[in-house]
Amino acid sequence: MTSLGVVFRPQVPPERLIAAARAADEAGLDELWLWEDCFWESGIAPAAAALASTTRIKVGIGLLPVPFRNAVITAMEFATLERMFPGRFLPGVGHGVQEWMEQVGARASSPLTLLREHLDAMRALLRGEEVSTDGRYVKLDRVKLDWPPANVPKILAGAVGPKTLKLAGESADGTILDGQNSPDRVRWAKTQIDEGRAAAGRTDPHHVVVFTHAATGPGGAERVRREQVAFGNDPDLGVSGGPDDFAALAAQYIDAGADSLVFTPTADEPEVESFIRFVAGEVKPLISRTSVR
């Protein structure tokens, strides 16, 4: 079954997050997603605030750029949130936007190697293992978490190109696909992920999260188009209109293999809470009887 989510965009002031998270929790939305985006908002602090302000909704970060972070402190943060809010935290990591990484002096010469080393170290630490490694970027000497979680959270990896998609299949527990992915491209991405999984001999579940830009109300189609153009995506991707339009697109992504479908409101969305209630209260019921939980 596929979960429905909404992104709380980092362009929205952080002081509005609590109200949005509570609206999502009360409306019955499955997931609320955050972005650690330069140089708007961080990921861990708002995730903790959203989780502490709610009782049932899952909170994801899609994603944390690993060039910003040490693998051990990131694993410690993940372990802490999982212990405090069991089963409700969905952490994602990725390369980050390389231009931004260069701005802060953190650009890696091999982003793929960096991401692999972070994923391998963090997943081992979260399993409670003692980790020693002398990688190109991650160097650990007998490191072990004192408070590993009872249940290891899935770590998702953001991926676009075939090499990173295969890496996500090999070393992550799920993959985050951004708003440039049509349903057909989601199918293609899953073939790349599955190649990586097969190469690593993995048979455990792999959670695929798909983001898609969305807007409602007058001018919604043009707002989505502008947003896609700004991201360098196909301007015809995304959805606008009423609940039937959203549900029809959701059905296509569900058929393509999305485990979580996350609607991304445009950066100029004036009523974030209303958008959340629309997805939870009007879109979700149209497809809940078949595949949405």
Side-chain angles (χ1 to χ4, degrees):
M1 297 196 303
T2 301
S3 300
L4 287 187
V6 168
V7 178
F8 180 86
R9 293 284 294 267
Q11 290 84 356
V12 180
E15 58 268 23
R16 291 181 57 188
L17 172 61
I18 301 302
R22 287 174 175 163
D25 207 41
E26 293 164 3
L29 192 69
D30 301 310
E31 299 172 359
L32 184 69
W33 283 80
L34 308 167
W35 294 349
E36 180 162 274
D37 232 356
C38 300
F39 297 99
W40 296 97
E41 292 170 12
S42 63
I44 295 295
L51 287 163
S53 303
T54 55
T55 59
R56 45 156 297 278
I57 195 169
K58 292 185 178 182
V59 176
I61 305 177
L63 45 75
L64 300 169
V66 294
F68 272 174
R69 298 182 166 275
N70 177 278
V72 177
I73 188 62
T74 306
M76 290 166 63
E77 300 276 27
F78 290 178
T80 298
L81 289 177
E82 174 59 30
R83 289 181 67 103
M84 294 174 70
F85 309 101
R88 294 179 54 210
F89 180 47
L90 300 170
V93 297
H95 301 313
V97 177
Q98 295 307 297
E99 291 77 8
W100 291 342
M101 300 303 100
E102 189 165 3
Q103 274 186 275
V104 300
R107 183 167 184 165
S109 56
S110 179
L112 201 68
T113 301
L114 175 66
L115 181 58
R116 184 189 301 276
E117 291 183 2
H118 272 253
L119 284 167
D120 291 347
M122 288 189 296
R123 292 180 69 240
L125 289 166
L126 288 168
R127 291 193 297 266
E129 299 174 13
E130 181 179 277
V131 180
S132 294
T133 183
D134 186 25
R136 182 172 177 180
Y137 298 102
V138 177
K139 300 178 185 297
L140 305 179
D141 180 16
R142 295 166 297 156
V143 176
K144 184 177 182 180
L145 299 187
D146 287 311
W147 294 107
N151 296 304
V152 180
K154 293 179 180 292
I155 300 182
L156 313 178
V160 176
K163 290 182 180 180
T164 311
L165 288 164
K166 290 183 176 70
L167 170 60
E170 293 174 20
S171 297
D173 304 301
T175 303
I176 298 170
L177 303 176
D178 64 17
Q180 67 182 283
N181 290 276
S182 66
D184 282 342
R185 198 173 191 282
V186 170
R187 292 185 180 90
W188 169 82
K190 283 176 66 69
T191 66
Q192 306 302 302
I193 294 165
D194 288 344
E195 284 187 29
R197 286 170 54 75
R202 297 190 64 169
T203 58
D204 53 323
H206 190 91
H207 194 89
V208 176
V209 179
V210 180
F211 290 90
T212 186
H213 292 276
T216 62
E222 181 55 32
R223 288 165 53 207
V224 171
R225 180 176 289 271
R226 285 200 306 267
E227 189 100 335
Q228 293 287 35
V229 170
F231 275 85
N233 299 339
D234 181 344
D236 293 326
L237 291 177
V239 63
S240 62
D244 288 337
D245 301 294
F246 277 62
L249 184 67
Q252 294 180 48
Y253 279 111
I254 291 167
D255 184 66
D259 297 300
S260 293
L261 178 62
V262 185
F263 292 106
T264 304
T266 55
D268 60 358
E269 170 58 54
E271 299 290 342
V272 177
E273 291 90 343
S274 295
F275 184 86
I276 287 169
R277 294 188 185 101
F278 165 79
V279 172
E282 299 187 50
V283 178
K284 182 177 175 181
L286 295 178
I287 43 181
S288 61
R289 285 173 294 182
T290 55
S291 58
V292 177
R293 60 178 178 229

